[in-house]
Amino acid sequence: QEQLAASGGGSVQAGGSLRLSCAASEYTYSYFCMGWFRQAPGKEREEVAVIESDHTIVYADSVQGRFTISQDDAKNTLYLQMNNLKLEDTAMYYCAAVRGTDHYSQYGCSDYNSWGQGTQVTVSS
């Protein structure tokens, strides 16, 4: 069974850094899209950063210039380097992927069908 395992979350002061990792049980090069999402209490889940099928990288405006997403296919791992963290970055962070030709053919990168368990990031002043 395919799994995505996110790790690296923690508590950090504003201005600090964290690096999240998402280890995949399958070859990451087999995924059409991979990305990071987050959900803060009382808020809807939002897209943070994604690598699309043509390797285009898209960042949310709120993290542009502070976060960097990368993918290491040799290690089957997706990363999110988060610098200059702000209080509003506090959330549960999830990694996700689009897998399966049929699903990708129908939805492209608009519907992620494989999700990790989440890792909590808490930023304090």
Side-chain angles (χ1 to χ4, degrees):
Q1 183 176 356
E2 188 274 341
Q3 291 184 337
L4 297 173
S7 62
S11 296
V12 64
Q13 288 191 322
S17 298
L18 283 173
R19 188 176 80 154
L20 305 184
S21 298
C22 175
S25 60
E26 295 181 337
Y27 295 120
T28 50
Y29 65 74
S30 69
Y31 298 140
F32 292 96
C33 326
M34 292 195 77
W36 290 95
F37 298 76
R38 67 186 181 187
Q39 186 167 21
K43 295 187 177 181
E44 293 186 355
R45 186 175 63 200
E46 64 172 336
E47 180 180 292
V48 176
V50 299
I51 302 176
E52 298 188 338
S53 54
D54 62 355
H55 304 291
T56 297
I57 292 177
V58 180
Y59 294 101
D61 289 342
S62 59
V63 307
Q64 181 76 47
R66 300 187 297 120
F67 290 11
T68 302
I69 187 173
S70 61
Q71 182 174 332
D72 187 336
D73 290 338
K75 296 182 178 180
N76 296 323
T77 302
L78 182 74
Y79 300 98
L80 184 68
Q81 177 66 44
M82 305 186 295
N83 298 328
N84 190 23
L85 283 160
K86 302 179 179 181
L87 297 179
E88 53 265 38
D89 294 320
T90 295
M92 184 71 76
Y93 283 70
Y94 300 90
C95 62
V98 173
R99 53 191 296 267
T101 303
D102 291 345
H103 190 84
Y104 177 71
S105 297
Q106 185 170 2
Y107 301 105
C109 293
S110 65
D111 183 58
Y112 283 69
N113 59 343
S114 182
W115 291 84
Q117 83 287 6
T119 185
Q120 177 68 38
V121 172
T122 302
V123 184
S124 61
S125 59

